[in-house]
Amino acid sequence: QKEVEQNSGPLSVPEGAIASLNCTYSDRGSQSFFWYRQYSGKSPELIMSIYSNGDKEDGRFTAQLNKASQYVSLLIRDSQPSDSATYLCAVPLDNRLAFGKGNQVVVIP
Amino acid sequence: NAGVMQNPRHLVRRRGQEARLRCSPMKGHSHVYWYRQLPEEGLKFMVYLQKENIIDESGMPKERFSAEFPKEGPSILRIQQVVRGDSAAYFCASSPGQWNTEAFFGQGTRLTVV
């Protein structure tokens, strides 16, 4: 099993809809989880951190963590064209931050 | 409080030349990480450094690549005798502690080998 998996292909959502992204991880001992947003040709930007089971909301973003099932998700409410980007899930592993391959989100006006 | 600073932003090298990429972490951050990203691919870990120490270089090729983070000055990623396959975006990130704390990325250096 890969360390951090994001399996969904590109996600197209209408403007104003909810975009839902999922991520699973292999290390049961992981305690910290991060979502980064990366625009094409730009560097990753940290948008959410979550450490405890349950939901964490920040503006239009909600991160959901379920340690028992080893998954973390990101919801983007009221999606805007400016949300069109690749979203990377990241989990600390040994001495590094392991990244998933990312999910591309395209918000259609 | 300036963010993570990387320079140069773009670097063109001919095959066989050396590339030196610099990274100054955020103020108060003593942990630096280098990643490489090929077009349409994910971020690949290369090396993790603290001041004057290499903590983990398991992601860095054994040949031609080296990294340092001296007591004074920026972290340096050095690629000797570059080849076309080294063309990529190289990102540096810094954090105040280990990876269980939030880490922030610089703007990256786009290396093109011609």
Side-chain angles (χ1 to χ4, degrees):
Chain A
Q1 181 186 3
K2 292 182 180 177
E3 297 162 338
V4 182
E5 286 198 71
Q6 294 178 258
N7 286 330
S8 301
L11 179 65
S12 293
V13 296
E15 184 173 356
I18 295 175
S20 177
L21 306 173
N22 295 314
C23 170
T24 58
Y25 58 93
S26 59
D27 184 2
R28 282 195 168 275
S30 296
Q31 297 294 319
S32 312
F33 307 87
F34 307 98
W35 283 98
Y36 286 80
R37 176 177 62 197
Q38 187 175 26
Y39 292 114
S40 180
K42 302 295 185 182
S43 62
E45 173 192 9
L46 180 65
I47 57 171
M48 286 289 279
S49 309
I50 186 166
Y51 304 94
S52 304
N53 274 333
D55 295 0
K56 178 183 177 183
E57 187 174 312
D58 184 358
R60 294 186 295 108
F61 297 103
T62 298
Q64 299 173 319
L65 174 60
N66 185 323
K67 290 184 180 179
S69 300
Q70 294 176 246
Y71 83 77
V72 56
S73 62
L74 180 71
L75 301 178
I76 308 173
R77 292 184 304 281
D78 188 23
S79 296
Q80 302 296 309
S82 60
D83 295 326
S84 296
T86 297
Y87 291 81
L88 303 164
C89 173
V91 181
L93 183 69
D94 298 327
N95 289 314
R96 60 189 168 88
L97 197 58
F99 283 86
K101 288 199 168 186
N103 288 123
Q104 185 181 8
V105 172
V106 178
V107 180
I108 302 169
Chain B
N1 186 10
V4 179
M5 303 299 291
Q6 288 189 250
N7 66 83
R9 295 287 303 276
H10 300 274
L11 182 62
V12 179
R13 283 288 178 267
R14 295 186 183 279
R15 281 178 294 172
Q17 290 185 319
E18 178 180 288
R20 292 172 70 88
L21 288 61
R22 297 174 186 78
C23 169
S24 295
M26 287 178 69
K27 186 177 181 180
H29 288 194
S30 58
H31 298 247
V32 166
Y33 312 82
W34 286 92
Y35 283 79
R36 178 166 64 178
Q37 188 174 41
L38 294 169
E40 308 304 321
E41 293 193 11
L43 287 161
K44 302 297 184 187
F45 168 78
M46 298 183 74
V47 61
Y48 162 40
L49 310 105
Q50 292 181 31
K51 284 284 188 182
E52 300 184 277
N53 285 303
I54 297 175
I55 306 302
D56 185 343
E57 55 183 350
S58 60
M60 201 155 64
K62 297 278 190 290
E63 307 286 331
R64 303 187 298 108
F65 285 74
S66 63
E68 63 177 6
F69 189 13
K71 185 176 180 181
E72 301 291 337
S75 175
I76 306 287
L77 179 67
R78 182 182 177 204
I79 311 172
Q80 295 178 290
Q81 300 174 329
V82 296
V83 300
R84 289 223 170 109
D86 296 332
S87 296
Y90 291 84
F91 292 104
C92 165
S94 75
S95 67
Q98 288 194 323
W99 276 122
N100 57 347
T101 57
E102 295 179 343
F104 299 90
F105 281 82
Q107 294 301 305
T109 294
R110 271 78 179 169
L111 172 65
T112 302
V113 179
V114 297

